[in-house]
Coordinates of all heavy atoms in Angstrom, one line a residue:
M1 N 2.4 -1.3 -26.0 CA 2.2 -2.1 -24.8 C 3.2 -1.5 -23.8 O 4.4 -1.4 -24.1 CB 2.4 -3.6 -25.1 CG 2.1 -4.5 -23.9 SD 0.4 -4.8 -23.6 CE -0.1 -5.7 -25.1
T2 N 2.8 -1.2 -22.6 CA 3.7 -0.8 -21.5 C 3.7 -1.8 -20.5 O 2.7 -2.3 -20.0 CB 3.2 0.5 -20.9 OG1 3.1 1.5 -22.0 CG2 4.1 1.0 -19.8
E3 N 4.9 -2.2 -20.0 CA 5.1 -3.2 -19.0 C 5.5 -2.4 -17.7 O 6.5 -1.7 -17.8 CB 6.1 -4.3 -19.3 CG 6.2 -5.3 -18.2 CD 7.2 -6.4 -18.6 OE1 7.7 -6.5 -19.8 OE2 7.4 -7.3 -17.8
L4 N 4.8 -2.7 -16.6 CA 5.2 -2.1 -15.3 C 5.6 -3.2 -14.3 O 5.0 -4.3 -14.3 CB 4.0 -1.3 -14.8 CG 3.5 -0.2 -15.6 CD1 2.2 0.4 -15.0 CD2 4.5 0.9 -15.7
K5 N 6.5 -2.9 -13.5 CA 6.8 -3.7 -12.3 C 6.1 -3.1 -11.1 O 6.2 -1.9 -10.8 CB 8.3 -3.7 -12.0 CG 8.7 -4.5 -10.8 CD 10.2 -4.6 -10.7 CE 10.7 -5.3 -9.5 NZ 9.9 -6.1 -8.7
I6 N 5.2 -3.9 -10.5 CA 4.4 -3.5 -9.4 C 4.9 -4.1 -8.1 O 5.2 -5.3 -8.1 CB 2.9 -3.9 -9.6 CG1 2.4 -3.5 -11.0 CG2 2.0 -3.3 -8.5 CD1 2.3 -2.1 -11.3
T7 N 5.0 -3.3 -7.1 CA 5.4 -3.8 -5.8 C 4.3 -3.5 -4.8 O 3.5 -2.6 -4.9 CB 6.7 -3.1 -5.3 OG1 6.5 -1.7 -5.3 CG2 7.9 -3.4 -6.2
G8 N 4.3 -4.4 -3.8 CA 3.3 -4.2 -2.7 C 2.0 -5.1 -2.8 O 1.2 -5.1 -1.9
M9 N 1.9 -5.8 -3.9 CA 0.7 -6.7 -4.1 C 0.9 -8.0 -3.3 O 2.0 -8.6 -3.5 CB 0.4 -7.0 -5.5 CG 0.1 -5.8 -6.4 SD -0.5 -6.3 -8.0 CE 0.9 -7.2 -8.7
N10 N -0.1 -8.4 -2.5 CA 0.1 -9.7 -1.8 C -1.2 -10.6 -1.9 O -1.2 -11.6 -1.2 CB 0.6 -9.5 -0.4 CG -0.3 -8.6 0.4 OD1 -1.5 -8.4 0.1 ND2 0.2 -7.9 1.4
C11 N -2.2 -10.1 -2.6 CA -3.4 -10.9 -2.7 C -4.2 -10.5 -4.0 O -3.8 -9.6 -4.7 CB -4.3 -10.7 -1.5 SG -4.9 -9.1 -1.3
E12 N -5.3 -11.3 -4.3 CA -6.1 -11.0 -5.4 C -6.8 -9.6 -5.3 O -7.1 -9.0 -6.3 CB -7.1 -12.1 -5.7 CG -6.4 -13.4 -6.2 CD -5.6 -13.2 -7.5 OE1 -6.1 -12.5 -8.4 OE2 -4.5 -13.7 -7.6
H13 N -7.1 -9.2 -4.1 CA -7.7 -7.9 -3.9 C -6.7 -6.8 -4.5 O -7.1 -5.8 -5.1 CB -8.0 -7.6 -2.5 CG -8.5 -6.2 -2.2 ND1 -9.7 -5.7 -2.6 CD2 -7.8 -5.2 -1.7 CE1 -9.7 -4.4 -2.3 NE2 -8.6 -4.1 -1.7
C14 N -5.4 -7.0 -4.2 CA -4.4 -6.0 -4.6 C -4.4 -6.0 -6.2 O -4.3 -4.9 -6.8 CB -3.1 -6.4 -4.1 SG -2.9 -6.4 -2.3
V15 N -4.5 -7.2 -6.8 CA -4.5 -7.3 -8.2 C -5.6 -6.5 -8.8 O -5.5 -5.7 -9.8 CB -4.5 -8.8 -8.7 CG1 -4.7 -8.9 -10.2 CG2 -3.2 -9.5 -8.3
R16 N -6.8 -6.7 -8.2 CA -8.0 -6.0 -8.7 C -7.8 -4.5 -8.5 O -8.2 -3.7 -9.4 CB -9.3 -6.5 -8.0 CG -9.8 -7.8 -8.5 CD -11.1 -8.1 -8.0 NE -11.2 -8.2 -6.6 CZ -10.9 -9.3 -5.8 NH1 -10.5 -10.4 -6.4 NH2 -11.0 -9.2 -4.5
A17 N -7.3 -4.0 -7.4 CA -7.1 -2.6 -7.1 C -6.1 -2.0 -8.2 O -6.4 -0.9 -8.7 CB -6.6 -2.4 -5.7
V18 N -5.1 -2.7 -8.5 CA -4.1 -2.2 -9.5 C -4.7 -2.2 -10.9 O -4.6 -1.2 -11.6 CB -2.8 -3.0 -9.5 CG1 -1.9 -2.7 -10.6 CG2 -2.0 -2.8 -8.1
R19 N -5.5 -3.2 -11.2 CA -6.1 -3.3 -12.5 C -7.1 -2.1 -12.7 O -7.1 -1.5 -13.7 CB -6.8 -4.6 -12.7 CG -7.6 -4.8 -14.0 CD -8.3 -6.1 -14.1 NE -7.4 -7.2 -14.1 CZ -6.8 -7.7 -15.2 NH1 -6.9 -7.1 -16.3 NH2 -5.9 -8.7 -15.1
D20 N -7.9 -1.9 -11.6 CA -8.9 -0.8 -11.7 C -8.2 0.5 -11.8 O -8.7 1.4 -12.5 CB -9.8 -0.8 -10.5 CG -10.7 -2.0 -10.5 OD1 -10.9 -2.7 -11.5 OD2 -11.3 -2.3 -9.4
A21 N -7.1 0.7 -11.1 CA -6.4 2.0 -11.1 C -5.8 2.3 -12.5 O -5.9 3.4 -13.1 CB -5.3 2.0 -10.1
L22 N -5.2 1.2 -13.1 CA -4.7 1.4 -14.4 C -5.8 1.6 -15.5 O -5.6 2.4 -16.4 CB -3.9 0.1 -14.8 CG -2.6 -0.1 -14.0 CD1 -2.0 -1.5 -14.3 CD2 -1.6 1.0 -14.3
A23 N -6.9 0.9 -15.4 CA -8.0 1.0 -16.3 C -8.6 2.4 -16.4 O -9.1 2.9 -17.4 CB -9.0 0.0 -16.1
A24 N -8.5 3.1 -15.2 CA -9.0 4.5 -15.2 C -8.2 5.6 -15.8 O -8.6 6.7 -15.9 CB -9.3 4.8 -13.7
V25 N -6.9 5.2 -16.2 CA -6.0 6.2 -16.7 C -6.4 6.5 -18.2 O -6.7 5.6 -19.0 CB -4.6 5.7 -16.6 CG1 -3.6 6.7 -17.3 CG2 -4.1 5.5 -15.2
S26 N -6.4 7.8 -18.5 CA -6.7 8.2 -19.9 C -5.7 7.6 -20.8 O -4.5 7.7 -20.6 CB -6.7 9.8 -19.9 OG -6.9 10.2 -21.3
G27 N -6.2 7.1 -21.9 CA -5.3 6.5 -22.9 C -5.2 5.0 -22.8 O -4.6 4.4 -23.7
V28 N -5.7 4.4 -21.8 CA -5.6 2.9 -21.6 C -6.7 2.3 -22.4 O -7.8 2.5 -22.2 CB -5.7 2.5 -20.1 CG1 -5.8 1.0 -20.0 CG2 -4.5 3.0 -19.4
A29 N -6.3 1.5 -23.4 CA -7.2 0.7 -24.2 C -7.6 -0.6 -23.5 O -8.8 -1.0 -23.5 CB -6.6 0.4 -25.6
E30 N -6.7 -1.2 -22.8 CA -6.9 -2.5 -22.1 C -5.8 -2.7 -21.1 O -4.6 -2.5 -21.4 CB -7.0 -3.6 -23.1 CG -7.2 -5.0 -22.5 CD -7.1 -6.1 -23.5 OE1 -6.5 -5.9 -24.6 OE2 -7.5 -7.2 -23.1
V31 N -6.2 -3.2 -19.9 CA -5.2 -3.7 -19.0 C -5.1 -5.2 -19.4 O -6.0 -6.0 -19.0 CB -5.6 -3.5 -17.5 CG1 -4.6 -4.1 -16.6 CG2 -5.8 -2.0 -17.3
A32 N -4.0 -5.6 -20.1 CA -3.9 -6.9 -20.6 C -3.7 -7.9 -19.5 O -4.2 -9.0 -19.5 CB -2.7 -7.0 -21.6
S33 N -2.9 -7.6 -18.5 CA -2.7 -8.5 -17.3 C -2.1 -7.7 -16.2 O -1.4 -6.7 -16.3 CB -1.8 -9.6 -17.7 OG -0.5 -9.1 -18.0
V34 N -2.4 -8.3 -15.0 CA -1.8 -7.9 -13.7 C -1.5 -9.2 -13.0 O -2.5 -9.9 -12.7 CB -2.7 -6.9 -12.9 CG1 -2.0 -6.6 -11.5 CG2 -3.0 -5.7 -13.6
E35 N -0.3 -9.5 -12.8 CA 0.1 -10.8 -12.3 C 0.7 -10.7 -10.9 O 1.7 -10.0 -10.7 CB 1.1 -11.5 -13.2 CG 0.5 -11.8 -14.6 CD 1.6 -12.3 -15.5 OE1 2.7 -12.5 -15.1 OE2 1.2 -12.7 -16.7
L36 N 0.1 -11.3 -9.9 CA 0.5 -11.3 -8.5 C 1.9 -11.9 -8.4 O 2.8 -11.4 -7.8 CB -0.5 -12.0 -7.7 CG -0.2 -12.1 -6.2 CD1 -0.1 -10.7 -5.6 CD2 -1.3 -12.9 -5.5
E37 N 2.1 -13.1 -9.0 CA 3.3 -13.9 -8.8 C 4.5 -13.1 -9.4 O 5.6 -13.1 -8.7 CB 3.2 -15.2 -9.5 CG 2.1 -16.1 -8.9 CD 0.7 -15.8 -9.4 OE1 0.6 -15.1 -10.4 OE2 -0.3 -16.1 -8.7
S38 N 4.4 -12.6 -10.5 CA 5.6 -11.9 -11.2 C 5.6 -10.4 -10.8 O 6.7 -9.8 -11.0 CB 5.5 -12.0 -12.7 OG 4.4 -11.3 -13.2
G39 N 4.6 -9.9 -10.3 CA 4.5 -8.4 -10.0 C 4.6 -7.6 -11.2 O 5.2 -6.5 -11.2
R40 N 4.0 -8.0 -12.3 CA 4.1 -7.3 -13.6 C 2.7 -7.0 -14.0 O 1.7 -7.7 -13.8 CB 4.7 -8.2 -14.7 CG 6.1 -8.6 -14.4 CD 7.1 -7.6 -14.7 NE 8.5 -8.1 -14.4 CZ 9.5 -7.3 -14.5 NH1 9.4 -6.0 -14.7 NH2 10.7 -7.8 -14.2
A41 N 2.6 -5.9 -14.7 CA 1.3 -5.4 -15.4 C 1.6 -5.1 -16.8 O 2.7 -4.4 -17.1 CB 0.7 -4.3 -14.6
L42 N 0.7 -5.5 -17.7 CA 0.8 -5.1 -19.1 C -0.4 -4.2 -19.5 O -1.5 -4.7 -19.2 CB 0.9 -6.3 -20.0 CG 2.2 -7.2 -19.9 CD1 2.0 -8.4 -20.7 CD2 3.4 -6.4 -20.4
V43 N -0.1 -3.1 -20.0 CA -1.2 -2.1 -20.4 C -1.0 -1.8 -21.9 O 0.0 -1.4 -22.3 CB -1.0 -0.9 -19.5 CG1 -2.2 0.1 -19.9 CG2 -1.1 -1.2 -18.1
D44 N -2.2 -1.9 -22.6 CA -2.2 -1.6 -24.0 C -2.9 -0.2 -24.2 O -3.8 0.1 -23.5 CB -3.0 -2.6 -24.7 CG -2.8 -2.5 -26.2 OD1 -1.8 -1.9 -26.7 OD2 -3.7 -3.0 -27.0
G45 N -2.4 0.6 -25.1 CA -2.9 1.9 -25.4 C -1.9 2.9 -25.5 O -0.7 2.6 -25.6
Q46 N -2.3 4.2 -25.4 CA -1.4 5.3 -25.5 C -1.2 6.1 -24.3 O -0.9 7.3 -24.3 CB -1.9 6.2 -26.6 CG -2.0 5.6 -28.0 CD -0.7 5.0 -28.5 OE1 0.3 5.7 -28.4 NE2 -0.7 3.9 -29.1
A47 N -1.4 5.5 -23.1 CA -1.3 6.2 -21.8 C 0.1 6.6 -21.5 O 1.1 5.9 -21.9 CB -1.9 5.4 -20.7
D48 N 0.3 7.7 -20.9 CA 1.6 8.2 -20.5 C 2.1 7.3 -19.3 O 1.4 7.1 -18.3 CB 1.5 9.6 -20.0 CG 2.7 10.2 -19.4 OD1 3.8 9.6 -19.6 OD2 2.7 11.3 -18.8
P49 N 3.3 6.7 -19.5 CA 3.8 5.8 -18.4 C 3.8 6.5 -17.0 O 3.5 5.9 -16.0 CB 5.2 5.5 -18.9 CG 5.1 5.5 -20.3 CD 4.2 6.7 -20.6
A50 N 4.1 7.8 -17.0 CA 4.1 8.5 -15.7 C 2.7 8.6 -15.1 O 2.6 8.5 -13.9 CB 4.6 9.9 -15.9
A51 N 1.7 8.7 -15.9 CA 0.3 8.6 -15.4 C -0.1 7.3 -14.9 O -0.8 7.1 -13.9 CB -0.7 9.1 -16.5
L52 N 0.4 6.2 -15.5 CA 0.2 4.9 -15.1 C 0.8 4.6 -13.7 O 0.2 4.1 -12.8 CB 0.7 3.8 -16.1 CG 0.1 3.8 -17.5 CD1 0.8 2.9 -18.4 CD2 -1.4 3.4 -17.4
I53 N 2.1 5.1 -13.6 CA 2.8 4.9 -12.3 C 2.1 5.7 -11.2 O 1.9 5.2 -10.1 CB 4.2 5.4 -12.5 CG1 5.0 4.4 -13.4 CG2 4.9 5.5 -11.1 CD1 6.3 4.8 -13.8
A54 N 1.7 6.9 -11.5 CA 1.0 7.8 -10.5 C -0.3 7.1 -10.1 O -0.7 7.1 -8.9 CB 0.7 9.1 -11.1
A55 N -1.1 6.5 -11.0 CA -2.3 5.9 -10.6 C -2.1 4.7 -9.7 O -2.8 4.5 -8.7 CB -3.1 5.4 -11.9
V56 N -1.1 3.9 -10.0 CA -0.8 2.7 -9.1 C -0.3 3.2 -7.7 O -0.8 2.7 -6.7 CB 0.3 1.9 -9.8 CG1 0.8 0.8 -8.8 CG2 -0.2 1.2 -11.1
K57 N 0.5 4.3 -7.7 CA 0.9 4.8 -6.4 C -0.2 5.4 -5.6 O -0.3 5.2 -4.4 CB 2.0 5.8 -6.6 CG 3.3 5.2 -7.1 CD 4.5 6.2 -7.2 CE 5.8 5.5 -7.5 NZ 6.9 6.4 -7.6
D58 N -1.2 6.1 -6.3 CA -2.3 6.6 -5.6 C -3.2 5.5 -5.0 O -3.9 5.7 -4.0 CB -3.2 7.4 -6.6 CG -2.6 8.8 -6.9 OD1 -1.6 9.2 -6.2 OD2 -3.1 9.4 -7.8
A59 N -3.1 4.3 -5.7 CA -3.9 3.1 -5.1 C -3.1 2.4 -4.0 O -3.7 1.5 -3.4 CB -4.1 2.1 -6.3
G60 N -1.9 2.9 -3.7 CA -1.2 2.4 -2.5 C -0.1 1.3 -2.8 O 0.4 0.7 -1.9
Y61 N 0.3 1.3 -4.1 CA 1.3 0.3 -4.5 C 2.5 1.0 -5.2 O 2.3 2.1 -5.6 CB 0.7 -0.8 -5.4 CG -0.5 -1.4 -4.8 CD1 -1.8 -0.9 -5.0 CD2 -0.3 -2.5 -4.0 CE1 -2.9 -1.5 -4.4 CE2 -1.4 -3.1 -3.3 CZ -2.7 -2.6 -3.6 OH -3.8 -3.2 -3.0
G62 N 3.6 0.3 -5.3 CA 4.7 0.9 -6.0 C 4.7 0.5 -7.5 O 4.2 -0.6 -7.8
A63 N 5.3 1.3 -8.3 CA 5.3 1.0 -9.8 C 6.5 1.7 -10.4 O 6.9 2.8 -10.0 CB 4.0 1.4 -10.4
E64 N 7.0 1.0 -11.4 CA 8.0 1.6 -12.3 C 7.9 0.9 -13.7 O 7.4 -0.2 -13.7 CB 9.4 1.4 -11.7 CG 9.9 0.0 -11.5 CD 11.2 -0.1 -10.8 OE1 11.5 0.7 -9.9 OE2 12.0 -1.0 -11.2
V65 N 8.4 1.5 -14.7 CA 8.4 0.9 -16.0 C 9.4 -0.2 -16.0 O 10.6 -0.1 -15.5 CB 8.8 1.9 -17.1 CG1 8.9 1.2 -18.4 CG2 7.8 3.0 -17.2
A66 N 9.0 -1.4 -16.4 CA 9.9 -2.6 -16.4 C 10.8 -2.6 -17.6 O 10.6 -2.0 -18.6 CB 9.0 -3.8 -16.4

């Protein structure tokens, strides 16, 4: 399980955009959660954390491993 800190989300549309971006990364088995209030995302699988961060940034948000 990889936990990411996400910045720049301010509505449910943002949550969906981040969830969709993470789900598209190779090696992601499941996006367990993306939480607007905490700014956290949990991703299950064998995806490279750098690829997860890049996908979130490409969607227009900030990300780092929590």
Side-chain angles (χ1 to χ4, degrees):
M1 188 79 64
T2 302
E3 182 176 357
L4 300 173
K5 179 174 174 16
I6 310 294
T7 57
M9 296 189 301
N10 56 23
C11 66
E12 287 302 316
H13 170 76
C14 298
V15 170
R16 283 191 303 274
V18 169
R19 180 181 296 276
D20 290 347
L22 291 170
V25 175
S26 178
V28 171
E30 176 187 18
V31 179
S33 67
V34 177
E35 299 176 355
L36 179 61
E37 297 79 20
S38 67
R40 302 278 182 189
L42 290 174
V43 180
D44 193 22
Q46 301 299 319
D48 177 11
L52 297 171
I53 290 168
V56 172
K57 288 185 176 182
D58 286 348
Y61 305 93
E64 62 186 37
V65 174

